[in-house]
Amino acid sequence: MKHTTKVLWAMTLLIFLAAACEGIGTTHIGNILDKPRDYSGKKVTVSGEVTEIFSLFVIKYFVLQDKTGQIAVVTDKPLPKKGTTVKVTGIVKEAFSIGDRQLLVLVEGGEK
């Protein structure tokens, strides 16, 4: 009986560790939005839920949202389904800036 309890505790601990490791190695979107100069032109990995998708001829992007903010992800890959959770690596770029308004995007798989 004691052996079974130890195995159950070990399995429970492994499940919690696996869930905690999901966010390791990712950058919070809010960090990118708060300090765009620190991330501009740099490769980052973000993860979150796809909230919007857009495709028009050669332009394809989706909006990715985590608990800290949202960012548009420009891609040449097939678009993920709305509502799915994805992890994306790309280069942070400024799409445009007008006055104090700025649109940052993540170019998936982009090169510096």
Side-chain angles (χ1 to χ4, degrees):
M1 186 82 164
K2 285 186 178 183
H3 179 69
T4 306
T5 304
K6 287 181 182 178
V7 170
L8 287 174
W9 274 108
M11 289 176 58
T12 303
L13 180 62
L14 286 173
I15 290 170
F16 281 116
L17 285 174
C21 289
E22 182 179 334
I24 292 178
T26 61
T27 302
H28 291 290
I29 295 169
N31 292 351
I32 298 168
L33 301 175
D34 289 343
K35 297 180 181 178
R37 289 179 59 112
D38 292 351
Y39 292 96
S40 181
K42 295 191 177 147
K43 185 178 254 187
V44 297
T45 300
V46 296
S47 66
E49 181 182 344
V50 177
T51 59
E52 297 176 44
I53 56 173
F54 179 83
S55 179
L56 181 66
F57 303 112
V58 296
I59 299 172
K60 291 193 302 184
Y61 75 88
F62 58 95
V63 177
L64 193 64
Q65 181 171 351
D66 69 7
K67 62 185 176 192
T68 64
Q70 63 182 22
I71 193 166
V73 179
V74 177
T75 187
D76 59 359
K77 297 179 181 183
L79 290 169
K81 289 186 178 183
K82 190 174 176 181
T84 59
T85 300
V86 296
K87 190 175 192 177
V88 181
T89 299
I91 305 295
V92 177
K93 304 262 184 180
E94 182 180 57
F96 66 84
S97 184
I98 298 174
D100 64 347
R101 304 281 303 185
Q102 179 181 43
L103 176 62
L104 295 175
V105 297
L106 183 68
V107 180
E108 184 175 23
E111 297 299 320
K112 284 188 176 183

